[in-house]
Every structure is written in C-alpha cells, then in structure tokens.
C-alpha cells in the first residue's frame, strides 16, 4: 500500500540571534516523521536544506546581515510535502572583534574594527567574582574603562546593533589591570663569602613576579616577597626600588629606599697580566692590616702592612678570595668581608692552523683555565668574529685564495671579559686556481700550454694531460709549459693546478687537447709507367684524410684522398723524388710525415746490332744517373734468351735467335730490391734467312744495325 505525502506545514515565526544562523518556528503536521528547513539567498547563489526532527529548526553556516527566503517541508517514510509558504528573514550583524590592553593599573582600553552594517555598539564590563556591571553604548570603535581596581581581572562583552535595532552576536574577552605599586619594607646586607643585599617588600594583588632594581643598575627577580642582589660593592651609598609585573605589564616603581654597604672598601686590581694588588680604604685607629689572599686551588698568601694596599703575583684564569682585617692594640675586627676576584683567562696555547680545503682554515687549540668562551678573528676580515663558542675549534671559511691570514684566538669569561693580549698566528690559504689560456702545437708530439698566474710568491704550476690510458705532466714556475712525447691520435683532458708550500689549488677548468693523427707505418711507391706511380700506405691512427706529395727539382705531384692509396702522374723519368705525407684528423689536426725517397726508372732509345759471330748487341740510353742494373729479355717462338748488365753499363751481348722468326726485346731497369720494372715497352725485330730478299748490309768489322727504336 503506497503512503501519502504528509500535509504542508506553515511557518509561524523566523528570527536570527546569531550572525550565521536563522531559527524557524512552524506548525507540526500529522503523518510527518521529520522536517526540512530550506534556505535560499535572494541572489540565488546560496541554497541549503537542513533536516530537523520538529519545530523549531535552525539553519546554520549563513552570512552575517544577509536576507534569506525560508520554507519548511514535512517528510515521512517515502514522500515529501510541498514547501510551505515562504518567509524572509535577515541574519544579525557580527560581534565586534575586541582587543584590550591596560596602560595603567586602573584603566583598560578596548578597541575593535568597525562592524559592517552596525550603527552602534554596547560594551558590558564586569569584574571577575563580583556582581558589579558597567555598561557603555557608543558609535565609536574605542572605549576606555577607568577607575578600576589594580591587579584585577575584568571581562568585557561586546555586541553590535543594526539599523533595525536588532542586537547581533556577542564576544567576551578578559583583561587584567596592571598590579599596584609594591612597597619596600626592608633592605639589609648579607653575610658570606660574597657581599650582597637582601630586599624585602609587601606582596600586591595580581602580581606574577617582582624585580628589585638598584640605582647602579643591578637587579634580582622573584615570585616571592624578597630577593638577593649579589655581589654588591662595599662602601657604597645606593638606593633600591621594586616593580611588580603581570600579563598586563609592569606597575609603577616603588619609592626608592636608600642603603649603605660595609664601612670600608676592598678591591682587587690587575693593571698588567700577573701583577695584582688588593686595595682598601683607611680605617681610623688602626695600627696595621693583614690581607689574606686564597686561590681557588688552595694556594694561600698573606700580607701584613700598615699601608692600604698589598701586591701579589696572580696567575691567569684563577679566582682569588681576598679579605682584610684591621688590627690595633685591642685586637682585630671580628668580621671582614670576603671579596673574590677572577683574573683574566689565559690565552689559548698549542694553537694549530691547518688548511682543510682551498679556502677554509681549521683552527684548534687546547682549552685554558678561566675561559668560558673563545672568540676567533682574523685581521684580514676586519676582525669579524668567525667563531664565538665554548669549543676549542673553529673553521674560517669563504676566505680569499693565496692570502695570509693573521688568526687570533681570544679567551673570554663573563667576569673579566676577554684577554686582549693573545698573539696572532699567521697561515696562508691555498693558491688561486690557474686557468688555461691556449694550447699550441709545436711539433707532432709537443704542445705549448699558456696559463694564467694569479698567485704571488713561490708558486709552481703543474699541467696535466689525462688520456684514457696514460697521463702526461709538465711543471713550470711561470705562465707557460710544454707537454712533450704525447702520442699521436689521442685525446687528452688538460688541467692546471697551482702548488705552493701551503698546498694545492683547485684544478682549473679543463680543455680538450687532440694530438695530431699518427703517420702511416710505411709508404710504398710503385712506378706504373714512365710518367705515373701508384702510392700506397698503411692507415694512420686518428687520420681521416691524407695529402701525399712527390717533390723534386724537376717538379712535383700531389693528391688529397680519404683512401690509403693514390695514383699520381707527372712523373719524370730518371728523377729522385722526396716522399711527403700529411695525415689530417676529422677536426683538422695535421701530422707531417717524411719517408725514404723514390727514383723513377726508364730505358730510353734502344738500338740492336747484329755481330759477325751470330750474336746481338743491345744498346740503350737511360735518363738520370746510371745506378740500376738492367736486364735484356729476348723472346720468340724458337728462342728465349736473357742478358744482365751491371749498373753504369749501356749495352749487353746475347746470342741471336734462329732466322726466319720475329723476336721481341725488352730492356728494363732492375731496382735495388731486385724488382724488375714491368712497364718498359717491348721492341720487335725479325731475323731473315740467307737468300731472302731482305738483305742486310754489313758493317765492318763486326756490327750490322738491325733496328733503331727511341722512346718518346
């Protein structure tokens, strides 16, 4: 069975008592199990539904002094009713944000920022623990409550009113007034090893702590009604007053009370280190004085004198207890004030300074007696205190390189201050970092390095070239150094470091050095023809291209190639050539290489003569010096003869072949390595048989010219 929606409720009243909420009272209807209070802003930018069990219902999280449209909806297990007729209501203004202070012990100032839409404010002051109320209405943003009780806690409740006369939120703050002025009741001297005074006063309402202050600036504080000021100087006419404090601030000082310390003064002076003296005022009817000086390690010294001073040797860092007793014929005084004096702390000894990084000095020393604090300064840093510590170690960092620092460690204590007689210790920082200016190649394995020299004095510079598998160094006291015996085809990272007696600098910025490529292990020059050669060579490590040149007085030939071979022309027969090769890397580095010279070979103008004894004499002529052996090869179908001629010889005799055949004759130089030149041209001739029409004229007595062939 379907349930029906409950009846529509009706709103009886809506009101706001808080700036962030509105309460709605409505009629409850039969069949409703709960209700929803719906709130919407007039601008439509806010919508809220709040579930409540019954009337009244409150909508929260609203804005101050804002109009809202309100409706109520009844709800049962399955349905909602239609919204009730709308009613409109506005939230009240915010409470003023009160701030308080108590400038005196009977006034409280209250201030607050202006509240939007508020036309006046109501402040109600009431004393804690009392039924007294004080109410103020104002349109200002400040109220002063006066004629209040000192040292008393007051609470102030503040509210604001809008133009419709509605009271807004309230805020309560509490403020205590300053305490009343205390009265000093008694001041007396204290007995003991150190002279002091005890100050007593009456406690006042609302005070949390008291401070007694003397006219010479000494003070003591206490939560009780007394305190002690130690030490006090003997023979002084002083005054003391007391101030009470609470959270609001101090009270007015009490009326000062005068007091006088002991009748005669003793004091210890130390005009120079180790030279101390006790001095006191003269006392009437005294015949002599005995001064007792006791050191804090138990050592004692006394002085019997008619004067008012006693000198004694005092060591640094010790505390001396002194007392003076006056004597006359009746005896000595029964009481003498004991004064203590602490000498200046000793200067630190065993001071050591070492360089822990290029621009940081670590200073260490042994602790000394009497020092509670050590100050470390350096004159070069305008005596700025780098360390102010109880530990016997200090680090001076961020210093200038290649600079001497006069470091002073000063010992200090609270009673005597610092010992200004401590001497300085000088230490130098590491050399400044040199930088590489340029790298210049001198030859295939030597490079000149130019560097900056930022240091003074005896400073040496080390240049290091670091490769993948090796390292090379050079040393110099100036701005240049040569790296030698660098292998070819390598890449090095070059850095510079300065070294002095103090230590080493940081390495400078590195530069990359690429050595020239390696020269090929061998170069072979092979003559292909009388005017052309083939040059081959082994690969050079690090080389990408090569320039090969054959030079002589008669001319030169050159080629540029990426290969390891080159075919070259313009070769003159019988000429000595110098062989040059230039290996070039991919970055343009070059290596100049020179190899054993090459001599071109040729045979020129070959002549053949038949001799009477059936032999042939072969003549030839060679250009250039006659330094090669020659071989003569006669070849035909019916004969194959060979003849060798020594260097300098220009002919060779050999057996003639049978008649009726055609023969070839080749005359070729033989190199020193035994290799026969293969490009020499062959010469052809025929041998006629007797009775042939091709007769031969006789050349008496032994030669008959067969053929004359000259090379071009």
């Amino acid at each position: 069975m379907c349930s029906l929606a409950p009846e529509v409720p009706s709103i009886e009243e809506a009101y706001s008592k808080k700036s962030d909420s509105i309460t709605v009272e409505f009629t409850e209807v039969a069949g409703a199990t709960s209700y929803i209070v719906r709130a919407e802003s007039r601008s439509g930018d806010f919508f809220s539904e709040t579930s409540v069990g019954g009337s009244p219902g409150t909508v929260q999280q609203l804005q101050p002094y804002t109009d809202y449209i309100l409706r109520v909806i009844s709800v049962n297990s399955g349905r909602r009713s239609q919204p009730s007729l709308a009613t409109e209501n506005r939230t009240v203004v915010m409470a003023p944000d009160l701030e308080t202070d108590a400038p005196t012990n009977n006034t409280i100032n209250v201030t607050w920022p202006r509240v939007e839409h508020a036309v006046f404010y109501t402040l109600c002051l009431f004393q804690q623990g009392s039924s007294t109320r004080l109410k103020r209405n104002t349109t200002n943003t400040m109220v002063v409550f006066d004629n209040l009780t000192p040292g008393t806690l007051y609470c102030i409740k503040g509210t604001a009113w809008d133009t419709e006369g509605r009271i807004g939120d309230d805020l309560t703050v509490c403020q205590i007034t300053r305490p009343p002025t205390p009265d000093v009741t008694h001041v007396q001297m204290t007995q003991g090893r150190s002279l002091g005074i005890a100050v007593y006063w009456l406690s006042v309402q609302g005070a949390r702590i008291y401070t007694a202050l003397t006219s010479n600036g000494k003070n003591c504080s206490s939560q009780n009604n007394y305190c002690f000021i130690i030490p006090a100087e003997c023979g002084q006419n002083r005054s003391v007053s007391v101030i009470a404090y609470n959270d609001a601030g101090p009270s007015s000082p009490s009326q000062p009370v005068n007091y006088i310390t002991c009748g005669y003064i003793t004091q210890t002076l130390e005009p120079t280190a180790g030279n101390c003296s006790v001095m006191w005022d003269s006392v009437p009817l005294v015949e002599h004085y005995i001064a007792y000086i006791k050191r804090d390690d138990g050592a004692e010294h006394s002085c019997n004198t008619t004067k008012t001073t006693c000198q004694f040797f005092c060591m640094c860092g010790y505390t001396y207890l002194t007392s003076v007793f006056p004597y006359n014929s009746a005896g000595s005084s029964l009481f003498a004030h004991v004064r203590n004096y602490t000498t200046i702390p000793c200067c630190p000894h065993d001071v050591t300074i070492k360089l822990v990084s290029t621009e940081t000095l670590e200073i260490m020393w042994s602790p000394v007696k009497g020092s509670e604090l050590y100050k470390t300064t350096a004159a070069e840093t305008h005596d700025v205190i780098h360390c102010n510590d109880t530990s016997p170690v200090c680090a001076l960092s961020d210093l200038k390189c290649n600079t001497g620092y006069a470091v002073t460690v000063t010992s200090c204590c609270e009673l005597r201050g610092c010992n200004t007689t401590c001497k300085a210790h000088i230490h130098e920082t590491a050399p400044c970092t040199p930088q590489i200016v340029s790298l210049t190649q001198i030859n295939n394995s030597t490079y000149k390095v130019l560097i900056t020299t930022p240091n003074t004095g005896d400073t040496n510079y080390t240049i290091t070239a670091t490769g993948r598998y090796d390292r090379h160094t050079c040393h110099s006291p100036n701005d240049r150094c040569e790296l030698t015996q660098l292998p070819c085809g390598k890449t090095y990272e070059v850095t510079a470091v300065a070294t002095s007696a103090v230590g080493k600098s940081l390495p400078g910025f590195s530069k990359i050095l690429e050595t020239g490529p390696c020269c090929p292990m061998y170069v072979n020059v092979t003559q292909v023809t009388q005017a052309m050669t083939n040059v081959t060579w082994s690969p050079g490590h690090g080389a990408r291209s090569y320039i090969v040149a054959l030079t002589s007085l008669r001319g030169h030939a050159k080629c540029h190639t990426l290969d390891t071979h080159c075919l070259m022309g313009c070769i003159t027969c019988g000429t000595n050539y110098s062989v040059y090769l230039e290996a070039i890397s991919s970055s343009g580095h070059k290596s100049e290489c020179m190899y054993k010279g090459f001599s071109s070979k040729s045979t020129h103008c070959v002549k053949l003569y038949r001799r009477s004894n059936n032999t042939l004499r072969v003549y030839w002529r060679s250009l250039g010096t006659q330094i090669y052996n020659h071989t003569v090869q006669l070849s035909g179908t019916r004969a194959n003869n060979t003849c060798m001629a020594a260097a300098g010889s220009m002919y060779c005799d050999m057996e003639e072949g049978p008649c009726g055949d055609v023969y070839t004759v080749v005359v070729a130089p033989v190199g020193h390595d035994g290799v026969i030149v293969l490009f020499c041209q062959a010469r052809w001739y025929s041998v006629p048989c007797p009775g042939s029409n091709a007769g031969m004229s006789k050349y008496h007595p032994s030669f008959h010219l067969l053929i004359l062939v000259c090379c071009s």
Side-chain angles (χ1 to χ4, degrees):
M1 180 176 179
C2 296
S3 60
L4 299 176
E7 295 180 3
V8 178
S10 60
I11 297 177
E12 295 179 342
E13 183 184 8
Y15 51 87
S16 173
K17 292 186 177 181
K18 296 289 184 181
S19 61
D20 62 347
S21 66
I22 295 177
T23 300
V24 180
E25 294 183 0
F26 52 88
T27 59
E28 297 182 357
V29 297
T33 58
S34 62
Y35 299 88
I36 293 175
V37 180
R38 177 181 295 175
E40 299 178 68
S41 63
R42 300 181 70 182
S43 61
D45 58 355
F46 177 83
F47 178 85
S48 171
E49 287 188 345
T50 303
S51 179
V52 297
S55 177
T58 301
V59 182
Q60 296 181 340
Q61 297 182 350
L62 304 180
Q63 296 297 317
Y65 202 75
T66 303
D67 292 329
Y68 291 93
I69 300 172
L70 304 165
R71 295 179 177 88
V72 179
I73 301 170
S74 58
V75 181
N76 62 16
S77 59
R79 294 180 180 273
R80 288 185 175 190
S81 72
Q82 292 294 322
S84 68
L85 294 177
T87 186
E88 188 171 337
N89 198 269
R90 177 182 295 168
T91 51
V92 297
V93 294
M94 296 177 61
D97 187 11
L98 304 180
E99 293 184 2
T100 62
D101 70 279
T104 66
N105 62 6
N106 64 350
T107 60
I108 292 178
N109 293 342
V110 186
T111 60
W112 61 92
R114 186 170 298 277
V115 178
E116 189 175 6
H117 305 296
V119 293
F120 73 95
Y121 308 91
T122 298
L123 272 67
C124 183
L125 178 141
F126 52 92
Q127 179 180 339
Q128 189 178 34
S130 172
S131 60
T132 303
R133 298 286 187 274
L134 183 61
K135 187 176 182 179
R136 295 279 181 85
N137 292 326
T138 181
T139 58
N140 297 324
T141 57
M142 184 183 74
V143 169
V144 177
F145 293 99
D146 52 9
N147 298 323
L148 304 180
T149 304
T152 303
L153 183 64
Y154 291 89
C155 292
I156 302 100
K157 177 181 178 181
T159 56
W161 299 77
D162 61 16
T163 56
E164 301 172 11
R166 297 186 306 163
I167 189 169
D169 281 350
D170 61 79
L171 176 68
T172 300
V173 296
C174 295
Q175 171 70 50
I176 192 171
T177 53
R178 295 193 182 192
T181 302
D183 291 328
V184 178
T185 59
H186 183 59
V187 179
Q188 71 178 31
M189 304 299 299
T190 61
Q191 305 297 326
R193 294 171 60 90
S194 298
L195 181 66
I197 61 171
V199 185
Y200 297 86
W201 57 86
L202 293 176
S203 300
V204 295
Q205 178 179 332
R208 184 171 57 86
I209 194 170
Y210 301 87
T211 297
L213 181 67
T214 65
S215 56
N216 64 337
K218 295 186 177 182
N219 64 81
C220 62
S221 297
S222 173
Q223 294 180 346
N224 302 314
N225 64 338
Y226 62 90
C227 69
F228 300 96
I229 298 178
I230 298 174
E233 296 181 359
C234 190
Q236 300 294 313
N237 187 354
R238 304 293 185 189
S239 64
V240 63
S241 59
V242 178
I243 299 174
Y245 291 85
N246 62 12
D247 292 339
S251 70
S252 299
S254 67
Q255 289 295 324
V257 175
N258 295 326
Y259 65 93
I260 300 175
T261 57
C262 56
Y264 63 94
I265 302 171
T266 60
Q267 60 177 338
T268 304
L269 302 178
E270 187 181 7
T272 59
N275 182 21
C276 293
S277 61
V278 180
M279 303 179 66
W280 57 91
D281 288 342
S282 177
V283 179
L285 305 176
V286 171
E287 297 176 357
H288 67 96
Y289 304 89
I290 297 180
Y292 296 93
I293 302 103
K294 186 174 183 179
R295 203 165 63 189
D296 57 8
D297 64 350
E300 293 186 4
H301 174 76
S302 63
C303 178
N304 191 336
T305 179
T306 59
K307 300 179 180 179
T308 57
T309 181
C310 175
Q311 293 186 346
F312 64 96
F313 172 74
C314 54
M315 298 177 62
C316 60
Y318 283 90
T319 296
Y320 291 85
L321 304 178
T322 60
S323 57
V324 178
F325 288 85
Y327 284 82
N328 60 15
S329 58
S332 68
S333 64
L334 299 178
F335 174 78
H337 294 288
V338 178
R339 303 292 306 274
N340 61 359
Y341 178 81
T342 301
T343 55
I344 59 174
C346 300
C347 287
H349 57 275
D350 299 332
V351 177
T352 60
I353 305 177
K354 66 178 180 179
L355 191 69
V356 294
S357 67
T358 54
E359 297 171 356
T360 300
L361 297 176
E362 183 185 49
I363 304 98
M364 301 182 70
W365 59 91
S366 298
V368 293
K369 184 173 179 59
S371 179
E372 300 170 350
L373 190 72
Y374 301 96
K375 295 181 179 180
T376 306
T377 59
E380 290 71 18
T381 58
H382 308 291
D383 290 327
V384 172
I385 298 176
H386 293 271
C387 294
N388 194 14
D389 200 354
T390 57
S391 300
V393 63
C394 178
L396 273 63
S397 58
D398 195 25
L399 305 178
K400 293 181 180 180
C401 58
N402 192 228
T403 303
Y405 285 87
V407 181
T408 303
V409 181
T410 304
S411 53
C412 303
C413 69
E414 184 178 0
L415 288 177
R416 287 294 170 264
C418 298
N419 189 341
T420 59
T421 64
C422 301
K423 67 177 183 178
H425 301 264
I426 299 176
H427 200 284
E428 187 177 335
T429 53
C432 298
T433 301
Q435 300 296 340
I436 297 175
V437 178
S438 63
L439 300 169
T440 306
Q441 184 175 2
I442 304 300
N443 54 44
N444 286 353
S445 62
T446 302
Y447 290 80
K448 181 173 69 175
V449 184
L450 290 181
I451 60 172
T452 59
T453 54
N455 301 290
T456 58
D458 297 331
T459 304
N460 288 319
Y461 299 91
T462 300
I463 313 300
T464 303
T466 304
R468 187 173 182 181
Y469 301 109
D470 59 343
R471 176 180 293 180
H472 299 264
T473 60
C474 66
H475 307 276
S476 174
N478 50 44
D479 63 346
R480 62 198 61 214
C481 185
E482 289 188 357
L483 292 168
T484 60
Q485 298 181 355
L486 295 182
C488 57
K490 301 288 186 180
T491 300
Y492 292 92
E493 183 180 9
V494 183
T495 56
V497 175
T499 305
S500 67
V502 178
K504 291 184 177 181
S505 71
L506 291 173
F509 297 120
S510 63
K511 288 195 175 183
I512 300 301
L513 170 62
E514 180 184 343
T515 60
C518 296
C519 291
M521 294 294 294
Y522 64 86
V523 174
N524 291 331
V525 183
T526 304
Q527 193 167 356
V528 179
T529 67
Q530 292 185 18
M532 189 167 61
T533 59
N534 185 28
V535 184
T536 60
W537 57 89
S538 62
H541 180 69
R544 185 177 70 175
S545 63
Y546 306 88
I547 296 177
V548 183
L550 302 178
T551 61
S552 71
L553 296 176
R554 295 187 178 185
H556 69 277
K558 181 186 289 186
C559 77
H560 191 177
T561 180
L562 297 173
D563 301 320
T564 56
H565 57 83
C566 190
L567 193 63
M568 304 175 64
C570 300
I571 301 300
T572 304
C573 298
T575 303
N576 291 327
Y577 287 88
S578 298
V579 181
Y580 297 94
L581 185 142
E582 195 171 54
I584 306 173
S585 69
S586 58
S587 60
H589 286 75
K590 298 179 180 180
S591 293
E592 296 181 353
C593 315
M594 181 178 291
Y595 298 91
K596 183 179 179 182
F598 159 73
S599 297
S600 61
K601 312 175 187 70
S602 70
T603 302
H604 199 67
C605 294
V606 179
K607 297 180 180 180
L608 286 75
Y609 291 91
R610 177 180 289 165
R611 303 184 67 183
S612 57
N613 56 356
N614 293 326
T615 62
L616 282 177
R617 173 164 288 184
V618 182
Y619 276 92
W620 62 86
R621 187 177 65 200
S622 297
L623 297 176
T625 56
Q626 306 297 318
I627 61 174
Y628 297 106
N629 296 335
H630 284 73
T631 178
V632 181
Q633 182 73 37
L634 185 145
S635 302
T637 58
R638 300 170 62 188
N640 190 4
N641 299 327
T642 302
C643 174
M644 291 292 295
S649 177
M650 298 178 61
Y651 68 91
C652 187
D653 295 333
M654 59 192 309
E655 183 180 355
E656 184 180 20
C659 65
D661 201 354
V662 177
Y663 297 92
T664 60
V665 177
V666 177
V667 180
V670 180
H672 297 300
D673 54 0
V675 178
I676 300 173
V677 175
L678 301 178
F679 58 79
C680 294
Q681 295 182 356
R683 311 303 183 191
W684 292 270
Y685 81 98
S686 61
V687 179
C689 291
S692 171
N693 292 331
M696 296 187 186
S697 61
K698 297 286 187 176
Y699 180 75
H700 188 76
S702 58
F703 295 107
H704 187 101
L705 178 62
L706 288 178
I707 188 169
L708 174 64
V709 181
C710 291
C711 65
S712 57

